[in-house]
Amino acid sequence: MKSIYFIAVILTLSSCAGRRTMHSEKREWISAFKNTVIISAVEQQDKKMSKDISTAINFDLIGNTRYYKIADSIGKKFRNAIEPSIVLDFNGAKAIFNSALDYYTSKELNSLSEMYYKQYYKEKYYYPSGS
């Protein structure tokens, strides 16, 4: 009887740990995807970013060239869609960093990140390559 109880406890704890790991993986992937979008949106503003290793870290966390390119493309499209300032003193310049920071926390980017993570997850765990 004790051994059955012990096995049940071990199985329960291991399933909880597995869920926590999957949740952590999802959180890291979504964060890396969103980071890639924002870096793509702002990187042409600052040439010093070429020495920043953040893009390599995000690429490793996303773990898939296709989704990295999607995030990069979203960031570039977002940057191009930012409207110039209407304040005359700014001579039509764009508030790219402020806009990008707002976009990072937006429902739109959260929704896109979730959607692409679900696609990535299905491809990785349900349709692995070579099957």
Side-chain angles (χ1 to χ4, degrees):
M1 180 70 174
K2 286 183 182 180
S3 62
I4 293 174
Y5 176 74
F6 179 73
I7 291 171
V9 169
I10 295 297
L11 289 174
T12 302
L13 291 175
S14 65
S15 70
C16 290
R19 278 191 220 124
R20 230 178 286 132
T21 301
M22 286 172 44
H23 184 68
S24 175
E25 176 187 324
K26 178 181 179 181
R27 199 172 47 243
E28 287 177 356
W29 193 96
I30 287 175
S31 178
F33 186 90
K34 290 171 65 173
N35 290 347
T36 300
V37 170
I38 299 308
I39 289 169
S40 293
V42 301
E43 72 182 340
Q44 290 194 359
Q45 294 305 112
D46 188 355
K47 299 303 176 193
K48 292 177 186 174
M49 287 187 68
S50 64
K51 295 182 181 182
D52 189 326
I53 63 167
S54 298
T55 54
I57 292 168
N58 293 327
F59 180 82
D60 288 344
L61 289 172
I62 291 173
N64 183 299
T65 303
R66 187 176 82 138
Y67 291 103
Y68 181 84
K69 287 180 179 179
I70 289 170
D72 184 61
S73 175
I74 292 169
K76 288 176 181 170
K77 285 178 186 173
F78 174 76
R79 179 185 61 235
N80 292 334
I82 297 172
E83 295 290 326
S85 174
I86 58 170
V87 178
L88 295 178
D89 291 352
F90 295 123
N91 298 322
K94 297 179 177 183
I96 294 174
F97 285 105
N98 286 346
S99 299
L101 291 171
D102 287 341
Y103 190 56
Y104 187 87
T105 59
S106 71
K107 288 182 181 180
E108 179 184 351
L109 186 55
N110 287 337
S111 175
L112 286 170
S113 300
E114 284 279 340
M115 179 186 75
Y116 285 118
Y117 177 76
K118 287 176 184 176
Q119 289 177 13
Y120 163 80
Y121 184 84
K122 283 181 184 177
E123 289 174 11
K124 182 176 179 181
Y125 293 107
Y126 295 111
Y127 307 108
S129 59
S131 297

